[in-house]
Amino acid sequence: TAASVFLLVQDGKLTLDDDVRKLLPELPDYGHRITVAHLLHHTSGLRDYAGMHVLAGRPFANYTRNADAMAFVTRQRALNFKPGTAFSYSNTGYLLLGQLVERVSGKTLAQFADERIFQPLAMHDTRFLDTLDALVPNKAGLYQPNMSQPNMSQSNSEPQFDAAQVGWVETGARGVLTTVADLAKWERNFVAPTVGGVAFVTWMQTGGKLDNGAPLDYGGGLSLSEYRGLKVVEHGGAGVGAAAELLRLPDEKFAVALLCNNPMVDAQGIAYQIAELYLADKPSAPPGEPSHATNADATTTASSAANTTGSMALSVTTEALNAAAGLYWSKEGGLVRRVELRDGKLWYVRHERSRSELQPLGSGRFRMLNVPGQTDLQIVPTKAGQPRRLELISDGEPPIVFEQVQPFSPAPDALHQYAGCFANAELGTRWQLLVADGQLLLQYGVDPAQPVTATFIDAFSAGPALMRYQRDKRGKMNQFILDSSRARNYVFDRVTMARGERCSE
């Protein structure tokens, strides 16, 4: 999608500074100018529509087209942040870029990419899937783990898989079918450019900038980093029934393409392991640690790219480690994280099945271990009486700021004040909160009611999202604000129910 955009820039039909609303006038006016460059580099502030679908309770198997996704996006009335001031990965940006290609070229994204990229590079097994009834020879089936099987939560259990049903035919942010052989042809174009020329591949591999001039390690649909002193150009992802990674070491003219029909595969980790095998006897690849994490909240991986601190590690007293422990909340990031001391080690905890050890470096700084790059946690000095603050720091990305909050554990008889039916028009959904067996439960969409977890005062974690209740002047809970990492600032208002009315109606 990014390549298609730049080809139109080369054609003189588009510029990176174009106002997106002039080309897509159906987008709401958010009070801030959003440019093509903002979309490309994930600095637009637009909420991620894939995340919005989850919050709206829409099953992934539901049939959705570009028009459905656009209707959903144009209902949004707020941004995550002012455009150009932060980086937050947003599939909405690339959905809109696909629409821009269609408006400017007069062709569908599938047609344009086929004519200008896939056919010139002889990528005959690559296409944008823009219709569900297309017959694709040799198409691999997709498989999803059956999470309802007994003992699935135990790490030693062998998951069983069901065929994954994917109902979307949206293009721009997703929807490409390809093979590893065709991806090798795509990678070759970065070594000996035929499509777009040298200017094209240079632009694709040039990181964007924030409005304040801070550089970003994200180019034209490509993440830019380093590993063992070598440049890395890569992108990965996972979805329903699939996982993928495309990794290139340009100085070595070496690339790894990995496509999996199992979303539980650590595609990035395996790609780095393959790269490590190739680099093992290469004098041009000095030993050392990777210098960039593509995600400052990176999850643990089995990759041999795991970050280690070696001689940088310091011996720190248990008291000093314990001083950093606590519960932390990032308003801007929509995240709740825990720093925990266990068995004499400090851990950064995303949830019970995802944690990373923190190695002390001194001066209140800690290095996150076993992630694909360098991510540090820094304690920020605060005045007496103020809550402790942390910064999660990764090269190429603005720090994520966390503030310490106090754990919250309401008594069972106090849970009823949070119960009720709450609605949000932007998502087009209602959420029902109810109390049963001393627990606060959430039900929305087609899924059964699930427990929500109290985190800090008047706030509850609901899966990957955080509900923050707002008290009115009388102290009643008639509203909550919903945040997730990529879609934030949703206001849910209490619905006054008529007798016999159901919340889902």
Side-chain angles (χ1 to χ4, degrees):
T1 301
S4 297
V5 168
F6 188 61
L7 289 174
L8 287 171
V9 171
Q10 287 186 320
D11 293 343
K13 296 181 178 180
L14 197 63
T15 75
L16 299 186
D17 195 48
D18 282 342
D19 188 333
V20 173
R21 287 192 69 245
K22 290 184 178 180
L23 299 167
L24 300 173
E26 64 267 40
L27 285 179
D29 183 355
Y30 296 110
H32 303 286
R33 187 169 176 268
I34 299 175
T35 68
V36 175
H38 286 146
L39 301 183
L40 284 163
H41 300 133
H42 299 293
T43 59
S44 68
L46 289 163
R47 294 161 170 165
D48 184 285
Y49 83 94
M52 291 188 283
H53 273 255
V54 175
L55 298 178
R58 299 186 175 194
F60 278 115
N62 278 13
Y63 174 63
T64 59
R65 300 164 296 179
N66 284 335
D68 301 317
M70 285 296 294
F72 200 50
V73 167
T74 55
R75 279 213 310 269
Q76 307 305 304
R77 292 295 178 264
L79 299 172
N80 288 336
F81 51 82
K82 180 182 176 182
T85 62
F87 174 96
S88 179
Y89 196 98
S90 175
N91 288 291
T92 301
Y94 274 76
L95 171 74
L96 297 182
L97 289 173
Q99 293 298 298
L100 289 179
V101 171
E102 297 193 1
R103 303 287 174 92
V104 173
S105 71
K107 302 175 181 178
T108 67
L109 178 59
Q111 292 169 336
F112 185 88
D114 188 62
E115 293 176 11
R116 298 291 298 274
I117 301 172
F118 303 148
Q119 293 308 317
L121 295 179
M123 298 171 65
H124 300 308
D125 290 318
T126 302
R127 61 181 294 174
F128 275 98
L129 184 67
D130 58 359
T131 175
L132 279 179
D133 57 6
L135 296 178
V136 181
N138 302 315
K139 180 184 175 185
L142 303 179
Y143 293 88
Q144 195 76 359
N146 183 345
M147 301 302 292
S148 63
Q149 61 181 294
N151 301 322
M152 184 60 210
S153 61
Q154 298 180 10
S155 59
N156 60 351
S157 61
E158 287 293 332
Q160 297 181 6
F161 290 83
D162 299 325
Q165 301 299 319
V166 179
W168 60 65
V169 286
E170 305 150 4
T171 55
R174 53 191 178 191
V176 176
L177 294 182
T178 189
T179 66
V180 290
D182 272 9
L183 288 177
K185 298 174 183 177
W186 166 249
E187 287 297 302
R188 192 173 298 125
N189 192 64
F190 285 85
V191 178
T194 56
V195 168
V198 174
F200 171 87
V201 298
T202 299
W203 173 81
M204 291 283 288
Q205 299 173 102
T206 300
K209 292 182 179 180
L210 296 181
D211 287 352
N212 64 6
L216 297 171
D217 287 349
Y218 197 95
L222 295 170
S223 294
L224 313 169
S225 59
E226 289 188 1
Y227 174 61
R228 290 185 58 177
L230 297 171
K231 294 180 181 179
V232 174
V233 180
E234 63 90 24
H235 213 295
V240 176
E245 172 71 15
L246 187 57
L247 180 150
R248 180 177 357 110
L249 305 176
D251 296 336
E252 295 290 331
K253 295 184 173 60
F254 174 81
V256 180
L258 188 66
L259 302 177
C260 315
N261 58 351
N262 170 1
M264 297 183 71
V265 171
D266 177 13
Q268 185 185 59
I270 293 174
Y272 270 103
Q273 289 176 4
I274 295 170
E276 184 63 28
L277 291 173
Y278 176 80
L279 294 172
D281 58 352
K282 295 286 182 179
S284 60
E289 61 189 62
S291 66
H292 172 64
T294 57
N295 177 0
D297 193 43
T299 54
T300 52
T301 173
S303 169
S304 59
N307 179 10
T308 58
T309 60
S311 60
M312 296 175 63
L314 298 178
S315 177
V316 179
T317 65
T318 299
E319 290 76 15
L321 292 175
N322 200 43
L327 186 68
Y328 295 88
W329 169 52
S330 170
K331 181 178 181 180
E332 291 75 18
L335 303 171
V336 175
R337 296 292 184 259
R338 192 169 74 253
V339 177
E340 165 184 296
L341 184 63
R342 177 185 290 188
D343 301 327
K345 297 179 180 180
L346 204 62
W347 299 86
Y348 178 83
V349 183
R350 303 169 195 86
H351 53 79
E352 290 308 317
R353 297 180 66 184
S354 179
R355 59 179 57 228
S356 297
E357 184 182 348
L358 295 171
Q359 180 68 58
L361 303 180
S363 301
R365 197 175 185 94
F366 300 85
R367 178 69 43 82
M368 191 178 295
L369 304 184
N370 299 317
V371 296
Q374 181 171 305
T375 299
D376 288 356
L377 201 68
Q378 177 70 54
I379 298 178
V380 180
T382 54
K383 295 181 180 179
Q386 291 184 340
R388 184 187 297 122
R389 299 177 71 210
L390 301 178
E391 287 186 350
L392 201 62
I393 302 168
S394 172
D395 292 340
E397 296 178 15
I400 300 176
V401 180
F402 288 82
E403 182 177 289
Q404 188 174 18
V405 290
Q406 297 304 313
F408 175 55
S409 182
D413 58 359
L415 293 176
H416 292 280
Q417 63 183 319
Y418 303 102
C421 183
F422 296 82
N424 178 271
E426 292 175 281
L427 293 171
T429 189
R430 288 184 174 186
W431 281 26
Q432 183 175 15
L433 281 301
L434 53 115
V435 179
D437 299 324
Q439 286 186 306
L440 187 64
L441 306 179
L442 167 65
Q443 198 283 320
Y444 72 103
V446 298
D447 295 329
Q450 298 291 331
V452 297
T453 305
T455 53
F456 55 94
I457 185 68
D458 294 339
F460 296 81
S461 292
L466 179 71
M467 306 185 313
R468 294 181 289 121
Y469 281 85
Q470 309 296 298
R471 294 178 181 265
D472 63 17
K473 293 181 180 179
R474 296 175 296 173
K476 292 188 176 181
M477 310 288 191
N478 289 324
Q479 187 182 84
F480 66 79
I481 297 173
L482 185 71
D483 292 318
S484 65
S485 61
R486 295 183 181 178
R488 308 197 286 276
N489 306 317
Y490 284 106
V491 178
F492 279 69
D493 292 307
R494 186 184 292 275
V495 177
T496 301
M497 307 289 291
R499 179 173 293 181
E501 182 183 2
R502 296 175 58 189
C503 185
S504 59
E505 294 176 344

